[in-house]
Amino acid sequence: MLKEEELDTLKALQNPIWVYDVERFRIHWANEQAMSFWEAESAAELYSRDFSENMSEAIYTLLKNDLKGFRNGKEHTQWWTLFPKQKRKEVYCHYSGILLNDGRVAMLAQVVVTKELLETELSIHSSTTIASLWDNDGYLKSANPMFIEIYGKKKMRFADLFFSEHQAHEVWSTALEVREHEVELYLPTVHGSRWYGLQIRVNQTKDGNQFVLRQYDVTERKQRELEHRQLAVIDPLTKLSNRYGLMKRLEEMIDRGAAFSLFFIDLDNFKTINDYYGHNQGDRLLNILAERLSFRFSEASCIARLGGDEFLIADLVVDHADLDGMAKNLMQAICEPFMLEELGELQISASVGIVRFPEDGFIIDDLLRHADAAMYSAKGRGKSQYIYFSKQMSDEVNRRHRMRQLLSKAICDEEFSANFSPVVDTYQQGIVAYESALTWTNAELGVISADEFYPVAKECGMAALIGFMGLEQSCQGLMKFNRKGLNYQLLISISSSQLFGGNFVASLKKLLNTIECSPESIIIALNEAHLADPKADLFVLHQLRELGVNLLAEGFGAGRSSLSLLQQVPVTHIKLDRQLVEDIETSSHSVVRAALSMSTSMGLVVIAEGVTRETQLQKLQGLGCYICTGSLFKEAPESNLYNQLDPSVGARFTLPLRDDLP
């Protein structure tokens, strides 16, 4: 605690500082800034002022309590309303104790800032101290002007400060028990309800207990806290619950022991809407969908937006029949057209995964992970449908999670390898090309196909790197064949993200130059997904053709996808859809004939995919389709056997090509 003889060290400070003798109602000492603040004619005039004249008993008791705290080393900072020469001044002051030369303790007051200098929410009128004194029976004995201003001059009971007798009794009894009590409550006043911080101290007097109440208006702060709390659980775009809000709600439901179901919703191809029409239109669609879900499922326990285009509905419905009905209503609500300004009518679909608590998991994270797995299963089965979680999906989720963990290490350890299957000219009875597919061989997970690991790599941002590794290995493998006198081509699929990533043509050209591989020996397979990609740049495809690279349209005969490719892309090859080849012995005969006729007129090479039976091959040959792929033909040697390959092996052969087939 500061001592009186040390006051000279405070004279140089630029803010008002004074010593108030609480027991004698006098200012004991003041610096020049304090003299100005109190509008004193001189130090003697200021020190002679008697502050007891206008001081309420409540304020005096409050200050006496502060002195007790100062003796114990306590300090505090608060807003206070002072009246130098009857002029109201609101100041933010720091209060501490000072030991006077006569051994008594006084109050050292230091003005931190005045309302005039600080125009912020902290300086509002209601943030100053409100003081009142109450007797043992709960009746008001004394109050300062701020208290009278917000409650009026009528005689009051302590309970009148609160909304209910019960609330008042709880505060009163707690203060009586602990002697000092602090709490923040929403209280009524003559100017409307406000939030107040209450500090209650119980003093023992000869007349019994005396309750000293100090109040601070904390409404602005509480409103900010409530807003921040709201922001913490509410999605700012849709005003639905966010992920954190959902988690809190699910915790409450689990704590109650309630059985419930979760509907995990992911909009199909929503990225295309954002990329084609802009994020403003995408956000507008999400808002309309949120409003629609809130209206259609108003009885649901929680509707949340998890982020992006993912939503989740939690509901107490658990009966399978009721779940089916709700799921169908949900799909219908999503598929109904949306009216967007400037765009008009737009229709979307969604994939939905459904889980039940506690059948599908006891922990929230497990439930969400299982719902996510069911949703991805719905996407894998063609989208625009709902699927219930099963144990098999859990195994798939765990496997996908493990792939994420091992992916980086797999790249460093070179666990990815190109595998080749032959493209056969059955008329010449020789291999004309090899189709390359990248596989991941892991000691823990086994052999993983590109169809399985590529979506995971895409999520982790490693798809382009792995894709280029596959391209590099495939080209190097091709050159190992061709250096032995074999003139093969390489058929390879390139993802749209890699193909249109920005520098694919330059990277491919550099790679081919490095390994001395001819661009004409490369055939890049394209499908409708490439054209559907918003980043698709047809100029890139024309650049590839100018370089000499061949382009192949996959899935020909399956809908209009291949026709779109033929109209927009300078393709050199087409690959008949696998289903056409499967049905060639029964129903697709005329379609294949038409495809062959058209391709011949356009000068395109036709490849039949998925030939597994000799009867299929005979039908294709009868129609004039001789170039084929499929399990009927022998596979190429493994990548690590390239150096042992005899130039004559696999170049020509006699049908049947596989003797292990019936």
Side-chain angles (χ1 to χ4, degrees):
M1 185 187 301
L2 193 70
K3 296 180 180 179
E4 184 175 357
E5 58 262 28
E6 299 171 334
L7 282 173
D8 285 345
T9 60
L10 304 180
K11 288 183 178 179
L13 297 180
Q14 297 302 307
N15 47 337
I17 302 175
W18 64 89
V19 175
Y20 180 69
D21 190 333
V22 175
E23 296 169 335
R24 296 178 181 177
F25 304 97
R26 296 284 195 278
I27 289 181
H28 182 77
W29 176 91
N31 67 356
E32 288 186 14
Q33 287 74 18
M35 297 278 291
S36 175
F37 174 84
W38 287 102
E39 301 187 14
E41 298 173 4
S42 64
E45 186 270 324
L46 177 61
Y47 299 161
S48 67
R49 293 182 188 178
D50 184 358
F51 288 89
S52 66
E53 296 177 2
N54 297 315
M55 182 175 294
S56 66
E57 185 181 356
I59 291 295
Y60 178 69
T61 305
L62 200 66
L63 296 179
K64 288 282 287 182
N65 284 337
D66 285 342
L67 285 185
K68 294 178 183 178
F70 297 153
R71 290 190 182 97
N72 294 323
K74 292 184 178 180
E75 300 179 7
H76 64 271
T77 306
Q78 66 187 66
W79 284 93
W80 201 270
T81 303
L82 303 174
F83 297 87
K85 290 193 173 180
Q86 307 305 314
K87 293 181 181 178
R88 178 177 180 141
K89 293 185 179 181
E90 295 177 22
V91 291
Y92 192 55
C93 289
H94 180 77
Y95 298 101
S96 58
I98 182 169
L99 184 64
L100 301 180
N101 290 335
D102 60 9
R104 294 181 303 115
V105 174
M107 173 187 284
L108 178 66
Q110 178 180 356
V111 174
V112 178
V113 69
T114 66
K115 179 182 178 181
E116 291 73 19
L117 293 178
L118 184 62
E119 292 296 333
T120 70
E121 57 198 23
L122 288 176
S123 63
I124 60 174
H125 161 79
S126 57
S127 62
T128 55
T129 299
I130 304 161
S132 55
L133 185 65
W134 306 82
D135 65 19
N136 195 49
D137 296 321
Y139 286 96
L140 181 66
K141 291 184 62 178
S142 175
N144 72 338
M146 290 300 301
F147 183 93
I148 303 300
E149 185 174 321
I150 67 169
Y151 289 112
K153 294 183 178 181
K154 65 178 181 178
K155 186 177 181 179
M156 296 183 64
R157 297 182 307 119
F158 186 76
D160 294 336
L161 300 180
F162 302 86
F163 280 108
S164 67
E165 292 276 353
H166 173 76
Q167 188 181 40
H169 175 73
E170 185 176 328
V171 174
W172 183 273
S173 58
T174 302
L176 192 60
E177 179 182 353
V178 300
R179 312 305 288 183
E180 290 189 25
H181 179 47
E182 293 188 21
V183 65
E184 291 184 351
L185 295 172
Y186 193 59
L187 302 175
T189 73
V190 295
H191 304 297
S193 300
R194 307 280 293 178
W195 278 95
Y196 287 98
L198 307 183
Q199 295 178 348
I200 307 173
R201 178 164 181 159
V202 182
N203 295 331
Q204 184 67 43
T205 69
K206 63 180 181 179
D207 298 322
N209 288 318
Q210 188 180 65
F211 290 75
V212 183
L213 174 62
R214 177 182 295 178
Q215 291 174 244
Y216 305 97
D217 190 316
V218 295
T219 303
E220 301 299 326
R221 176 176 60 78
K222 290 296 289 187
Q223 287 178 343
R224 289 196 307 274
E225 288 178 359
L226 290 173
E227 289 171 2
H228 292 158
R229 194 176 303 165
Q230 187 80 345
L231 288 174
V233 299
I234 296 297
D235 173 54
L237 176 63
T238 62
K239 303 303 182 287
L240 299 175
S241 295
N242 60 12
R243 182 179 288 272
Y244 179 71
L246 170 72
M247 299 288 278
K248 300 293 287 184
R249 182 70 180 118
L250 294 182
E251 286 174 2
E252 294 171 3
M253 296 169 71
I254 291 176
D255 288 342
R256 292 203 320 265
F260 58 86
S261 299
L262 301 181
F263 296 76
F264 195 113
I265 306 160
D266 186 276
L267 303 185
D268 298 328
N269 304 317
F270 182 74
K271 184 177 184 297
T272 303
I273 294 174
N274 270 339
D275 290 335
Y276 277 154
Y277 305 122
H279 286 271
N280 288 338
Q281 294 292 349
D283 289 349
R284 177 62 183 144
L285 188 149
L286 293 176
N287 270 314
I288 297 174
L289 176 60
E291 294 169 3
R292 188 179 293 179
L293 294 177
S294 298
F295 177 75
R296 297 284 182 89
F297 304 97
S298 57
E299 300 299 319
S301 300
C302 183
I303 303 176
R305 177 179 176 234
L306 304 182
D309 60 345
E310 293 183 340
F311 294 80
L312 189 140
I313 299 178
D315 198 276
L316 297 178
V317 172
V318 292
D319 179 76
H320 203 281
D322 293 336
L323 283 173
D324 272 343
M326 184 170 175
K328 290 174 183 176
N329 291 337
L330 175 59
M331 301 302 291
Q332 182 181 0
I334 295 171
C335 292
E336 288 179 6
F338 293 81
M339 291 300 298
L340 299 179
E341 294 179 9
E342 301 177 4
L343 295 182
E345 191 173 282
L346 190 66
Q347 198 163 10
I348 63 172
S349 65
S351 301
V352 179
I354 305 173
V355 296
R356 291 178 294 176
F357 172 83
E359 290 89 338
D360 296 325
F362 298 96
I363 302 172
I364 294 176
D365 286 343
D366 289 345
L367 287 169
L368 292 178
R369 190 169 64 253
H370 294 166
D372 181 65
M375 180 274 294
Y376 270 107
S377 180
K379 282 195 180 295
R381 298 184 190 183
K383 305 180 181 179
S384 190
Q385 58 184 291
Y386 64 91
I387 288 182
Y388 293 92
F389 172 76
S390 67
K391 176 62 170 61
Q392 180 184 353
M393 294 176 192
S394 177
D395 296 337
E396 292 171 358
V397 169
N398 294 334
R399 180 175 171 85
R400 192 160 60 240
H401 177 66
R402 190 61 179 141
M403 278 194 281
R404 291 191 191 97
Q405 294 177 322
L406 296 172
L407 199 59
S408 295
K409 186 175 185 298
I411 294 174
C412 295
D413 292 348
E414 299 181 348
E415 293 181 356
F416 294 92
S417 60
N419 292 272
F420 300 84
S421 56
V423 180
V424 177
D425 183 340
T426 61
Y427 185 80
Q428 297 290 336
Q429 295 193 0
I431 296 174
V432 293
Y434 276 106
E435 186 168 11
S436 173
L438 196 64
T439 57
W440 173 13
T441 303
N442 180 264
E444 177 182 341
L445 300 176
V447 178
I448 311 167
S449 69
D451 288 340
E452 185 179 3
F453 73 71
Y454 182 76
V456 177
K458 192 173 182 181
E459 291 174 14
C460 300
M462 301 180 189
L465 174 60
I466 294 174
F468 192 80
M469 287 170 51
L471 175 63
E472 187 174 27
Q473 283 192 29
S474 299
C475 290
Q476 289 173 344
L478 176 70
M479 293 311 296
K480 287 182 179 180
F481 284 126
N482 290 349
R483 287 193 187 105
K484 296 182 180 294
L486 305 173
N487 188 24
Y488 296 142
Q489 289 182 301
L490 173 69
L491 173 56
I492 187 169
S493 294
I494 303 294
S495 69
S496 58
S497 59
Q498 183 181 359
L499 187 60
F500 304 119
N503 61 348
F504 176 76
V505 177
S507 298
L508 176 62
K509 186 176 181 179
K510 182 178 179 180
L511 171 63
L512 296 179
N513 288 336
T514 301
I515 63 175
E516 298 180 350
C517 180
S518 167
E520 288 77 10
S521 63
I522 306 298
I523 308 171
I524 293 179
L526 306 171
N527 54 44
E528 65 174 324
H530 290 86
L531 292 186
D533 193 312
K535 297 179 181 178
D537 186 353
L538 298 183
F539 179 67
V540 170
L541 303 180
H542 285 279
Q543 281 185 308
L544 289 171
R545 283 299 298 129
E546 291 174 4
L547 184 62
V549 174
N550 297 284
L551 302 178
L552 175 144
E554 285 189 311
F556 192 85
R560 59 182 298 274
S561 59
S562 52
L563 293 176
S564 299
L565 282 168
L566 291 180
Q567 292 168 355
Q568 301 180 59
V569 179
V571 298
T572 55
H573 296 63
I574 64 172
K575 183 188 281 188
L576 295 178
D577 184 66
R578 182 182 293 271
Q579 193 61 48
L580 286 179
V581 176
E582 177 64 28
D583 299 336
I584 189 66
E585 298 149 303
T586 56
S587 58
S588 64
H589 194 275
S590 59
V591 178
V592 173
R593 185 190 299 275
L596 289 168
S597 176
M598 183 182 67
S599 62
T600 300
S601 65
M602 298 178 66
L604 305 178
V605 178
V606 179
I607 300 175
E609 179 181 20
V611 180
T612 60
R613 300 184 295 273
E614 289 187 46
T615 51
Q616 290 174 321
L617 179 59
Q618 291 167 3
K619 286 286 186 180
L620 289 166
Q621 289 176 322
L623 293 171
C625 181
Y626 298 103
I627 301 180
C628 307
T629 68
S631 59
L632 184 63
F633 311 105
K634 288 182 178 178
E635 298 176 353
E638 295 292 336
S639 301
N640 60 1
L641 299 179
Y642 287 154
N643 295 329
Q644 304 172 26
L645 184 62
D646 188 306
S648 64
V649 176
R652 304 186 72 83
F653 46 81
T654 302
L655 293 175
L657 302 173
R658 294 190 66 158
D659 52 19
D660 60 333
L661 293 175

